[in-house]
Amino acid sequence: MESGTDPPRGREASQKRSPLDLIMNQIRKKTTFTERKKPSMGRLFRPSVNSDKNEDISETKETDSSEGKDSTGPGTESSDTDSEISSGVGWGRVKQFVQKLGKTPDSQSLSLAHCDLTATDAVELGTLLPYLAQLEVMDLSWNDLLGGSLKALTCHFQHTGKLKILKLSSCRITAHDLTALGEALDCAPLLEMLDLSWNAGVGGGNLHGLTKHLHSASSLKELHLVDCQLSETDAMALGEALQMLSCLEVLDLSNNKQMMKGLENVATSLNSTPQLKTLKLSMCGLSHDSFAILGEKLKFVPGLENLDLSCNKESSGGFSTLTTGLSFLTCLKCLDMHSCCLTEDDILALTQVVPSWGELTELDLSSNRNVGGVIQSLLPVLPLSKMKKLYLNNCGLSTETCQALATSMQSLTQLESLNLSWNKSVGEILQQFLEPLQPNCELQELRLSSCDLTTEDMLYLESACKLGCLSKLKILDLAYNGSVGDGGWVSLFGEAERLKELQELDISLRPSSSLSASPWLPALLDALPQLPSLRRLALQRWALGPTERETLEKILSKKKVILECD
């Protein structure tokens, strides 16, 4: 469910700035990143003469040459040796630029995300592109001062003909930037992935500045436009563009609610993208009518493998209008419908089409609290032997559903991730889930947060560890289960040596709770050396004495484990 986009770090803050911030940004745009990092007194002194002196001279000559001020006389051609020297010096400039940003230079991959780049940096980077002819990946995401200066970079794209991946998420892209990028697309004929997510300037009717430059020879396979405030006009432009993108495999339009007014324009063009494998429409305000439109067009993408319709609460009760199209998706592997306010009728409608999905490996129905009593009707039609991820957290699972699911565990032989958190009925019957597990089973993630687990449940979990049924477990979430007695924790930690691959362990208490960790802490301290892969330990709201905390932190610091503790 991954989109290939970084999380929206500080996005809201970047969208709303004070007048002082705007003034300071204008000043910063005229200053390079490296100049802002230099001590001000450093400018008063000349650098000492060293082995880099010759390189500086060569760089100056290289720059003059590129501007038509070659030192050789008219009609004189540079030798191969001169070309090699120039190339070496150019790469030296690239290394210097990248290293001053705290990054590692790579001739094929340029990753400068979160580098606080400015318009001046964009100009300098553009002059370096001639020395990056082998570049395939360029990531400039999360540099919001680049907005409005993209043309200074794209005008040099003729030197990066091998570029395949371009990421510009959260760069405050403007309409002029989109036009400049569109005009440069012909210089990147091999471009396969374009990520413009988290740029409000992409929407508002501006998308046409980019899409009008697309043509049928495009190699684009992935287009990410998450939270770009796309409008109905943008949806029309996107619909026209899709007719040119016959190679498209991934389309992510999540968090664009206004665009759904033009959903029909997008959906109608799906017949031009027969190779589409991933379609993400999370948090797009899909309604019953949207589902009906989408249901009619899904038959044009029979190879679809990943469908994300999550966080569309307006679609509650309208799933049946989508089922006609879903029945054509015989290759579907992942369906995400968490937080959709699904009803019992929606689940019954889903039950009718699931038999068509023989390749389904991942199903997310979490945070749909009204379906806990009917999910058991879904279990018999799922391809249980192929399921790898099953998320049913916060679904209000009934006791009968939990028992039916526990019975199905013996068929879930490939299951890697199971999330049953926030289902109180799991408590006291955890044994039924654990007993069908076989030694060395594939389970890597088990989340049982806030499940009203008991001390007895912990004893069964201990037994599963002892039998080797959880030997591949990497994530174990047992938070918010304050009803577990001290003896339960002691017994679990006593079998820690069986959890060699465990990376994350969470046994935190609820925010309103507070208990002493002293009774079971010695067992945990003895267990930690036997957990070589542990990287995160959460013990929030457990009270530790000064000596206990010091001892715990000393052990964890040696293992480089992150401790989350009040």
Side-chain angles (χ1 to χ4, degrees):
M1 289 184 285
E2 324 327 352
S3 67
T5 304
D6 288 342
R9 183 188 300 180
R11 179 172 58 86
E12 294 182 1
S14 67
Q15 298 290 346
K16 300 178 181 179
R17 297 173 175 237
S18 66
L20 179 60
D21 287 334
L22 296 176
I23 295 173
M24 292 303 297
N25 278 349
Q26 293 303 315
I27 297 174
R28 295 171 69 203
K29 277 177 175 287
K30 299 177 182 179
T31 311
T32 66
F33 175 92
T34 52
E35 286 175 336
R36 291 198 303 276
K37 295 296 182 181
K38 290 179 181 178
S40 58
M41 291 298 295
R43 298 181 182 180
L44 301 177
F45 302 93
R46 292 175 60 84
S48 59
V49 178
N50 53 29
S51 59
D52 293 332
K53 182 176 181 180
N54 292 333
E55 182 176 324
D56 294 339
I57 296 174
S58 299
E59 286 180 26
T60 303
K61 290 182 178 180
E62 175 63 24
T63 303
D64 292 341
S65 175
S66 64
E67 296 175 355
K69 299 178 181 180
D70 202 319
S71 59
T72 57
T76 305
E77 296 183 359
S78 300
S79 66
D80 292 339
T81 303
D82 291 338
S83 298
E84 291 177 3
I85 293 176
S86 297
S87 178
V89 171
W91 175 242
R93 291 179 56 200
V94 172
K95 289 176 62 178
Q96 184 181 35
F97 179 81
V98 174
Q99 288 174 344
K100 285 184 178 180
L101 297 174
K103 301 292 184 175
T104 303
D106 187 325
S107 61
Q108 293 184 312
S109 179
L110 185 65
S111 179
L112 301 178
H114 300 287
C115 280
D116 201 18
L117 299 177
T118 67
T120 306
D121 292 319
V123 174
E124 184 176 356
L125 180 57
T127 64
L128 298 177
L129 290 185
Y131 312 116
L132 290 167
Q134 303 303 314
L135 193 64
E136 295 183 2
V137 180
M138 184 187 297
D139 185 358
L140 305 179
S141 300
W142 308 101
N143 288 292
D144 61 4
L145 293 177
L146 285 180
S149 60
L150 205 58
K151 188 171 184 178
L153 184 66
T154 59
C155 66
H156 297 278
F157 267 25
Q158 70 269 22
H159 302 293
T160 58
K162 295 185 178 181
L163 191 64
K164 293 183 179 180
I165 297 176
L166 179 59
K167 296 182 180 181
L168 295 167
S169 58
S170 191
C171 286
R172 300 180 76 86
I173 287 177
T174 66
H176 294 299
D177 292 328
L178 282 177
T179 300
L181 180 58
E183 293 172 348
L185 287 179
D186 284 338
C187 299
L190 302 181
L191 191 65
E192 296 181 355
M193 175 183 175
L194 179 60
D195 189 348
L196 301 176
S197 299
W198 313 109
N199 284 293
V202 171
N206 296 328
L207 187 61
H208 180 65
L210 171 71
T211 58
K212 67 182 180 182
H213 295 284
L214 293 172
H215 48 74
S216 57
S218 173
S219 301
L220 203 61
K221 293 183 179 180
E222 295 189 30
L223 180 59
H224 299 267
L225 298 172
V226 180
D227 195 11
C228 285
Q229 298 188 21
L230 301 182
S231 65
E232 184 176 356
T233 301
D234 296 313
M236 295 177 60
L238 181 59
E240 295 175 356
L242 291 179
Q243 298 177 26
M244 305 292 177
L245 303 178
S246 59
C247 297
L248 197 65
E249 297 180 2
V250 177
L251 178 60
D252 191 350
L253 303 175
S254 299
N255 203 11
N256 285 290
K257 290 189 176 183
Q258 296 301 316
M259 189 201 68
M260 286 305 103
K261 297 178 181 179
L263 175 64
E264 189 169 0
N265 293 283
V266 177
T268 301
S269 299
L270 291 179
N271 60 347
S272 300
T273 59
Q275 299 186 45
L276 195 66
K277 291 181 171 58
T278 297
L279 178 60
K280 296 188 176 185
L281 297 171
S282 175
M283 208 183 305
C284 281
L286 298 180
S287 62
H288 290 198
D289 292 339
S290 302
F291 268 19
I293 293 173
L294 192 60
E296 293 178 1
K297 307 301 179 181
L298 285 178
K299 61 184 178 182
F300 296 120
V301 284
L304 199 67
E305 298 179 357
N306 186 342
L307 179 59
D308 185 354
L309 301 174
S310 61
C311 302
N312 286 293
K313 298 181 179 181
E314 299 87 346
S315 63
S316 177
F319 191 80
S320 59
T321 61
L322 186 66
T323 54
T324 302
L326 290 176
S327 61
F328 289 93
L329 306 183
T330 56
C331 297
L332 194 66
K333 294 182 179 180
C334 173
L335 176 63
D336 187 351
M337 295 197 67
H338 77 267
S339 299
C340 281
C341 291
L342 297 179
T343 65
E344 292 187 352
D345 289 338
D346 289 327
I347 295 299
L348 295 177
L350 181 61
T351 302
Q352 302 300 313
V353 295
V354 168
S356 304
W357 304 337
E359 301 300 319
L360 192 69
T361 61
E362 182 175 342
L363 179 63
D364 189 347
L365 298 177
S366 57
S367 297
N368 289 291
R369 304 190 63 180
N370 297 321
V371 301
V374 295
I375 284 183
Q376 56 184 316
S377 64
L378 191 62
L379 298 175
V381 295
L382 285 173
L384 298 177
S385 62
K386 294 185 178 181
M387 295 295 296
K388 293 184 177 181
K389 297 181 180 181
L390 185 58
Y391 303 116
L392 299 174
N393 46 297
N394 197 25
C395 281
L397 299 182
S398 64
T399 302
E400 293 76 13
T401 298
C402 280
Q403 291 174 341
L405 180 58
T407 302
S408 302
M409 289 297 293
Q410 59 186 351
S411 300
L412 292 167
T413 55
Q414 301 299 314
L415 194 65
E416 297 177 358
S417 181
L418 177 63
N419 193 339
L420 299 176
S421 295
W422 302 94
N423 288 294
K424 307 300 183 183
S425 54
V426 174
E428 297 187 352
I429 65 169
L430 185 60
Q431 174 190 9
Q432 298 180 35
F433 286 93
L434 299 175
E435 284 186 341
L437 298 180
Q438 299 298 313
N440 297 312
C441 76
E442 299 298 323
L443 197 61
Q444 299 178 20
E445 179 181 11
L446 179 60
R447 296 187 181 274
L448 300 169
S449 175
S450 191
C451 284
D452 277 356
L453 300 183
T454 65
T455 301
E456 189 174 3
D457 289 325
M458 287 298 104
L459 296 178
Y460 288 117
L461 195 58
E462 172 201 8
S463 178
C465 291
K466 186 179 298 184
L467 294 173
C469 300
L470 302 177
S471 60
K472 296 184 180 180
L473 201 64
K474 295 181 179 180
I475 299 176
L476 179 58
D477 183 0
L478 302 173
Y480 295 5
N481 285 293
S483 51
V484 175
D486 296 329
W489 300 121
V490 171
S491 63
L492 176 62
F493 298 143
E495 292 300 326
E497 61 181 8
R498 312 285 184 175
L499 302 175
K500 299 294 185 182
E501 297 188 25
L502 190 65
Q503 298 176 2
E504 298 185 21
L505 174 62
D506 191 344
I507 61 171
S508 300
L509 297 175
R510 295 178 180 278
S512 59
S513 303
S514 180
L515 294 173
S516 173
S518 298
W520 51 259
L521 187 61
L524 175 61
L525 296 178
D526 291 339
L528 289 176
Q530 305 176 63
L531 298 173
S533 301
L534 190 65
R535 292 294 175 266
R536 173 181 172 267
L537 175 62
L539 304 175
Q540 295 187 34
R541 267 78 65 182
W542 285 104
L544 299 172
T547 303
E548 292 174 332
R549 187 182 184 94
E550 181 180 356
T551 303
L552 178 60
E553 290 179 342
K554 184 176 181 180
I555 294 175
L556 296 180
S557 63
K558 291 180 180 179
K559 296 171 60 66
K560 297 182 179 180
V561 177
I562 297 175
L563 174 64
E564 296 180 10
C565 185
D566 297 331

